[in-house]
Amino acid sequence: MGVSVAASPPTHCFTITPEEPAAEAARLIAASRLGAVPVQDRTGRVVGLVSERDIVRVVATRAQGLRGLAVEEVMSRDAATIRPETTAGDALALMQQRDLRHLPLCGADGRLIGVVGLGDLMRG
């Protein structure tokens, strides 16, 4: 697949900061009907991703669920990111290697453009 991910418009996304309550991330995910929310620091740099799987893992293993937890305590910290020139094939390979369903799409300046989901790539 030689087509760049920019050919398949990324899903518009909401973002959240590491300090916000994890329950707010869960509300954003549910309200937006997306499977993940990028986590940005105060400079706008993507520092992680909180996904449905992250939320479910905490709820299933912690008696208090998300109560009292910040996003930084439930997010995946080493979020893989891609650039607009990344090919769809390379994005799919990265998703498969790391067992991911969502990849933050960042520009050359490191700023978030959107989120590319597995469904976006399969449609594109």
Side-chain angles (χ1 to χ4, degrees):
M1 291 185 186
V3 177
S4 74
V5 294
S8 293
T11 303
H12 171 74
C13 63
F14 296 91
T15 62
I16 197 160
T17 63
E19 302 82 19
E20 291 185 71
E24 181 59 23
R27 279 190 288 279
L28 275 175
I29 289 169
S32 66
R33 299 179 62 195
L34 299 173
V37 175
V39 182
Q40 291 181 301
D41 65 14
R42 288 190 176 102
T43 68
R45 190 175 65 103
V46 175
V47 295
L49 192 72
V50 61
S51 69
E52 291 171 324
R53 284 195 264 178
D54 295 326
I55 300 292
V56 168
R57 191 175 0 262
V58 171
V59 170
T61 60
R62 188 172 183 263
Q64 312 89 308
L66 297 174
R67 186 172 302 128
L69 293 179
V71 167
E72 64 191 343
E73 296 174 87
V74 300
M75 70 183 198
S76 299
R77 292 185 179 278
D78 60 342
T81 62
I82 55 174
R83 305 251 321 248
E85 62 272 9
T86 303
T87 66
D90 287 345
L92 283 169
L94 180 59
M95 287 177 163
Q96 185 176 26
Q97 289 167 358
R98 302 223 12 219
D99 193 25
L100 303 171
R101 295 182 187 148
H102 304 90
L103 292 169
L105 175 65
C106 298
D109 61 358
R111 296 246 179 234
L112 184 69
I113 296 169
V115 174
V116 175
L118 184 57
D120 298 321
L121 295 172
M122 300 308 287
R123 282 190 296 273

